Every structure is written in structure tokens, then in C-alpha cells.
Amino acid sequence: MGYFGRVRWAGTGDLPQLEELYQEAGDDDGNDLTWEAGLFDEGGALLLEDEDGQVISAVRWSHDGEGWRVGRVCTRAAAQELDCDRWLLTKLEAGAIRHNVPRLLIALPDGEHRDFYRRLGYTVEENVNGTFTARKRVGGVWQLRQAEPS
């Protein structure tokens, strides 16, 4: 596997490759997101392809009352060294800002990767049931207020 070719928003035609990727990587992100065509009615997915157009990494999300509920980034074993998580989350945050989404929420069922999300600017909170949630404010009216001159 070579280097990745591009990051792009997924469409319904990508569902078979996305489902295969998540099955290969183990689909337990704690967010109960599905790969049915309805995913695009309630959210979406962002994917990373290699230079041959094969999906090597992806992240999905759904709309939530607080913003976007984001699933874990899944990456093929052969592409782990490419740091796909950071690339995809950065692009996802840019999309959230563009769509005026106030927050991103990521369930961390076992608390794994807490330090990674903190380095990316997320606040990680422990829930009552022992799971964790990473939150980040990304878009919304608060940005406009900060940009206004005093």
C-alpha cells in the first residue's frame, strides 16, 4: 500500500467499501452508527483513499442535539503508520465549522486514546458509567462573537 491519494466526503456508492473497512477494523465505536444509506440522511462519512482509489481510513458521524456525534476513525492495518486519524479529524472539524456545527462529540467506551484527543483540543470527560466522551467546540455563534472588534 502506497501513500494516500485524497480525503473526500463519502457517498452512497462508497457504502460497500466503508462497511468492509469497519468490519476489518472491528466496528465497536460506541456510537451505534450504521452503514445503511440512511447514514447520509442523519449524518455522513469522510474517507481517505490511497492513490489507487481504495478506502484506507474513514470516520462517520450523525447529527445530535449538541452537534455531530462522531464514530471512531477506522484504518486498515497496512496504513496505520500514515497517521490517518489526525488527517480525517482535522478535515471533519473544518467541515463542521463550514456547516456551523457547534460541537463534536466522540464516545470513548474504554477511555482509550484520551491523550490523543486532548492533544487535538478535545475536552475528555468521564461519564457516570465509566465510559468517556471527548468534546470539542468547533462552529457556531460563539466564533462570530470572538471575531467582533471591541
Side-chain angles (χ1 to χ4, degrees):
M1 176 173 295
Y3 293 102
F4 54 84
R6 67 180 176 155
V7 176
R8 67 175 177 84
W9 304 103
T12 54
D14 297 307
L15 287 172
Q17 275 198 81
L18 290 169
E19 189 169 18
E20 176 189 322
L21 169 68
Y22 271 75
Q23 285 176 354
E24 176 186 312
D27 189 11
D28 183 21
D29 59 17
N31 281 306
D32 194 31
L33 300 172
T34 65
W35 284 117
E36 299 166 4
L39 168 71
F40 298 104
D41 296 332
E42 299 295 323
L46 185 65
L47 56 85
L48 184 61
E49 297 176 320
D50 66 13
E51 67 270 3
D52 297 324
Q54 296 300 308
V55 176
I56 59 172
S57 188
V59 62
R60 57 188 170 173
W61 72 93
S62 66
H63 295 279
D64 177 285
E66 291 185 61
W68 285 353
R69 188 170 41 111
V70 180
R72 71 182 177 98
V73 177
C74 277
T75 303
R76 294 195 190 278
Q80 289 294 326
E81 75 282 355
L82 297 178
D83 200 18
C84 300
D85 294 15
R86 186 176 314 274
W87 280 91
L88 285 173
L89 289 173
T90 299
K91 180 74 170 179
L92 184 67
E93 289 172 16
I97 290 168
R98 190 171 48 255
H99 289 94
N100 206 28
V101 174
R103 287 182 186 80
L104 298 179
L105 302 128
I106 303 172
L108 306 173
D110 55 10
E112 191 176 348
H113 307 298
R114 285 178 285 178
D115 291 338
F116 169 77
Y117 287 103
R118 285 184 181 124
R119 284 192 304 274
L120 293 178
Y122 287 80
T123 301
V124 179
E125 303 163 348
E126 186 169 5
N127 302 315
V128 183
N129 62 1
T131 63
F132 293 83
T133 301
R135 299 174 188 275
K136 186 172 188 179
R137 224 175 177 186
V138 288
V141 177
W142 67 275
Q143 287 182 317
L144 298 174
R145 285 191 211 125
Q146 286 182 335
E148 292 175 0
S150 313

